[in-house]
Amino acid sequence: MQPTELTKEGELFFRQYLRSPRSVGSVIPSSRALGRGVAAETAWEPGQFVVELGGGTGSITMGLIERGIPRDRLLVLELDGLMHAYLKERLPGVNVVQGDATRLDEILVRHGVDSVSTVISGIPMVGNPIALRRAIVGQGMKVLRPGGFMLQYSYSPIAPIPAEDFGVEAKLARYVLWNFPPAFVWKYTRKAA
């Protein structure tokens, strides 16, 4: 990435933070190290999709692409119009959609996505209303194929989605020190029957 691209990414992210601090979890974008860490925890096989909620400036998406997941098997959902436009330009060939994560099932049907192995959420959960968190997790778990799971990265060592309140099981999958602030990647699966 050219230095001017890094500057553009940082400025866009910081402006979004100033406009709506709750919609981003940090004042700077996620690092390449976090993108690689999330990608290493992502399940994917040919024919399946990986869905990313809250694409931000594309750091996580780039980690998925570097790992070898084809661009056309990625669907990145971003609510903010400016960030959506930035992602469309930065990520040619990726399905970048402007939309609301609480309506994920409808969005996936509209885009012909029928087999999702992993849902990745970069939407900040801590500090957002419980109803919003429940809706996002519910949608993420609803669209997964059997055996699929949801990843949530956070800057808190405490699980950002209280598993017992959401009917899921949670485990810490990865700690990424080389991110500012250091990040935790949580893996959520459906509770065993």
Side-chain angles (χ1 to χ4, degrees):
M1 191 180 300
Q2 301 293 337
T4 56
E5 183 67 21
L6 282 173
T7 302
K8 181 179 176 184
E9 176 183 2
E11 287 174 2
L12 175 65
F13 198 85
F14 188 65
R15 273 190 309 226
Q16 175 62 17
Y17 176 80
L18 292 175
R19 270 196 338 233
S20 177
R22 279 194 170 173
S23 71
V24 294
S26 174
V27 296
I28 61 171
S30 300
S31 69
R32 289 186 70 196
L34 180 56
R36 285 190 218 106
V38 170
E41 297 299 330
T42 300
W44 180 81
E45 293 178 9
Q48 298 174 353
F49 281 84
V50 172
V51 173
E52 182 183 355
L53 308 177
T57 57
S59 300
I60 304 303
T61 315
M62 291 306 296
L64 298 168
I65 292 167
E66 288 172 13
R67 181 183 149 201
I69 299 173
R71 289 173 182 255
D72 66 346
R73 302 315 279 181
L74 298 170
L75 185 136
V76 178
L77 192 63
E78 177 55 55
L79 184 60
D80 181 77
L82 291 174
M83 288 187 151
H84 170 260
Y86 175 80
L87 288 170
K88 289 283 280 184
E89 182 181 321
R90 181 177 184 197
L91 302 169
V94 172
N95 302 296
V96 179
V97 178
Q98 185 174 8
D100 184 343
T102 65
R103 303 182 71 118
L104 181 61
D105 57 349
E106 299 168 19
I107 291 167
L108 296 186
V109 167
R110 267 198 320 269
H111 291 274
V113 175
D114 57 358
S115 181
V116 178
S117 59
T118 306
V119 172
I120 300 163
S121 174
I123 298 171
M125 293 291 176
V126 176
N128 271 316
I130 194 81
L132 177 64
R133 290 187 273 168
R134 192 177 307 280
I136 292 169
V137 173
Q139 284 287 298
M141 298 307 286
K142 180 179 181 181
V143 303
L144 289 168
R145 67 169 180 74
F149 53 85
M150 187 169 180
L151 297 173
Q152 172 74 47
Y153 57 93
S154 174
Y155 306 112
S156 170
I158 299 167
I161 301 167
E164 61 281 354
D165 295 343
F166 287 77
V168 295
E169 294 181 355
K171 80 169 198 172
L172 180 60
R174 186 172 291 257
Y175 174 66
V176 180
L177 179 63
W178 300 110
N179 190 73
F180 183 78
F184 299 83
V185 180
W186 293 89
K187 180 178 181 180
Y188 293 90
T189 55
R190 291 182 181 94
K191 270 196 174 165

